[in-house]
Amino acid sequence: MGQLTPSSGLCIPTTGELVEYFGKNTPEGRENDGLGFLQFLKSQANIQGTKRLSDSIKGVVGKRRGVKLMYTSPICYSICASPFNCLEIRTPYSVPLNVVDYEIETRYTPCDGTGEPMELTLDAAQYQQYCDLDDASFFGDLIMGYDMRFMKELNKVLVEMLLTNITNTQVSYPIVSSNQMTGQRVVNNELPLWLKELVATAKMDYSEYVIFGGQLVNLIATKFGLRTSTTQGEVYTINDLPPLYYDRNFDTVFGKNSLVLLPKKAFQFVDWTQYEGSKAFKGEKEIFFTKNVPLGNSSFQIIDWIWKWDPECSKYKYMPSLYAELVKTIGGNCQDADQDGIFIIKDCSTTVIPVCP
């Protein structure tokens, strides 16, 4: 009988990808969200009816320019009973004119533990023994995962920037309580009333607000019992409450049992890409270009990317990047010169998830 032992020229065993056999139950498939705040910033709910700073910052293709925006302070005065006097003294009042400069200087890239830019590399020589894997297509799959991680990390940075931009008011309400008969958690039905009073006191429009948060958002949406699926991310629609947006990074940044009451259009995600026009390049061994990364809610984000192929060392290299900032509107009204209408809402109750004895 002939030998069944394969010769060294055969490709055995077959190499497959773990995700093909176990689906999302693999390390690369478990993180399937984490883009909630970025989705909201780019949603029609947040940008509809306004100009985008990103469009004004783009000058000649591949170059950026600063933008100066002019605004006037609120006109604030009271009235009084003043008998007519042809020689009366009148105090002059002129509306102060202000200008704010916007420039996008911050560039984001994947980074290592020391803060240095980090590129994805593939040593093709390491994969020569796996003859079922095409080097280029395998590296392409790695790039898609690298891009998605980049967007998730950018989303987390934006949530952290949101916290640093809230300089005004923190309010505490007993939002969640425990049903003494069943032990179940109950959301206080007066929550919409408290929020309306808070917004009215700030002289803002309640209909222009959204609520942004973590697990407390999910709890409120579940307990009120009404959820609407939209194409703008994880949005909940509840009677008398503003739309609720969930982000998995929120609790890590803001702490558990908290929400942000946020006016629409209070923030803009301003971005700029450089590898366009004359700065774009596509060659056999190097590419400097832009691409669209899907965000999972029918929208996408344009990013810069660099791809290089070193044939001598058989190495692929890739790195995404993006110039971006979270820009906040100017605060101030006649009641408070720093008023921006953004509030951190804390649940001051001590109710926790019931634990069986």
Side-chain angles (χ1 to χ4, degrees):
M1 295 180 63
Q3 295 292 326
L4 295 179
T5 303
S7 69
S8 59
L10 295 179
C11 294
I12 295 178
T14 297
T15 303
E17 295 188 47
L18 192 66
V19 69
E20 295 177 348
Y21 295 88
F22 294 94
K24 292 184 177 181
N25 191 29
T26 61
E28 63 188 286
R30 286 173 185 150
E31 289 192 14
N32 54 8
D33 56 6
L35 298 171
F37 189 43
L38 185 56
Q39 289 175 345
F40 164 70
L41 290 171
K42 297 177 70 70
S43 70
Q44 286 299 308
N46 192 52
I47 65 176
Q48 193 171 31
T50 58
K51 290 185 177 181
R52 295 186 68 239
L53 268 171
S54 296
D55 296 333
S56 297
I57 284 172
K58 295 175 182 177
V60 177
V61 177
K63 294 185 177 181
R64 68 179 184 273
R65 60 187 176 192
V67 176
K68 294 180 181 290
L69 296 184
M70 179 185 68
Y71 70 97
T72 58
S73 298
I75 300 175
C76 303
Y77 61 84
S78 59
I79 64 172
C80 59
S82 177
F84 174 75
N85 181 354
C86 64
L87 300 178
E88 65 187 3
I89 299 175
R90 301 168 184 172
T91 303
Y93 176 83
S94 60
V95 178
L97 188 63
N98 303 280
V99 175
V100 60
D101 293 332
Y102 293 104
E103 294 186 9
I104 305 302
E105 302 288 348
T106 307
R107 176 175 175 253
Y108 290 97
T109 68
C111 290
D112 61 12
T114 64
E116 295 296 329
M118 185 176 68
E119 62 184 6
L120 176 66
T121 61
L122 175 67
D123 188 344
Q126 295 178 352
Y127 294 86
Q128 288 180 359
Q129 59 183 313
Y130 304 115
C131 58
D132 284 354
L133 294 179
D134 175 71
D135 293 338
S137 61
F138 180 67
F139 191 54
D141 292 339
L142 292 180
I143 286 175
M144 287 190 289
Y146 207 65
D147 287 343
M148 189 52 60
R149 180 68 181 184
F150 180 65
M151 299 314 305
K152 290 177 181 177
E153 288 300 308
L154 178 62
N155 181 83
K156 185 177 180 180
V157 169
L158 292 173
V159 176
E160 294 169 348
M161 292 173 67
L162 172 64
L163 177 59
T164 61
N165 276 283
I166 301 178
T167 57
N168 203 358
T169 305
Q170 180 172 305
V171 183
S172 296
Y173 297 124
I175 299 175
V176 182
S177 60
S178 179
N179 187 312
Q180 296 181 358
M181 297 183 63
T182 64
Q184 293 177 327
R185 289 177 293 172
V186 179
V187 176
N188 201 315
N189 287 328
E190 289 203 353
L191 177 60
L193 177 61
W194 297 332
L195 299 183
K196 287 181 180 180
E197 290 176 344
L198 180 64
V199 171
T201 303
K203 303 295 189 291
M204 304 290 284
D205 184 355
Y206 186 72
S207 66
E208 286 296 308
Y209 271 81
V210 299
I211 293 176
F212 179 63
Q215 289 302 326
L216 189 54
V217 159
N218 289 337
L219 179 63
I220 291 173
T222 302
K223 292 297 181 179
F224 272 84
L226 182 61
R227 172 174 174 175
T228 301
S229 176
T230 74
T231 59
Q232 298 176 3
E234 197 72 16
V235 185
Y236 304 103
T237 304
I238 300 173
N239 292 334
D240 295 325
L241 274 181
L244 286 88
Y245 286 81
Y246 168 79
D247 190 287
R248 64 175 299 177
N249 300 291
F250 183 89
D251 289 344
T252 302
V253 177
F254 282 82
K256 294 182 178 180
N257 301 321
S258 59
L259 304 166
V260 169
L261 189 61
L262 180 68
K264 300 173 185 175
K265 305 176 181 66
F267 287 94
Q268 276 200 27
F269 175 67
V270 186
D271 59 313
W272 177 80
T273 50
Q274 64 175 335
Y275 296 136
E276 299 182 66
S278 60
K279 291 188 176 181
F281 176 78
K282 283 189 175 183
E284 293 183 359
K285 299 177 182 179
E286 286 185 326
I287 297 177
F288 298 83
F289 220 67
T290 61
K291 70 159 103 174
N292 297 338
V293 179
L295 298 179
N297 66 332
S298 301
S299 65
F300 59 87
Q301 176 60 46
I302 303 176
I303 63 171
D304 288 315
W305 59 285
I306 298 173
W307 177 91
K308 294 183 179 181
W309 162 242
D310 182 352
E312 183 177 358
C313 297
S314 295
K315 284 188 177 182
Y316 294 93
K317 298 179 181 180
Y318 171 82
M319 190 182 76
S321 63
L322 181 68
Y323 286 88
E325 289 184 15
L326 183 67
V327 177
K328 177 185 174 183
T329 186
I330 303 298
N333 60 24
C334 292
Q335 180 186 13
D336 184 350
D338 296 325
Q339 177 64 257
D340 55 19
I342 305 171
F343 303 95
I344 297 178
I345 312 296
K346 292 283 187 178
D347 177 22
C348 59
S349 63
T350 59
T351 302
V352 297
I353 299 176
V355 179
C356 295

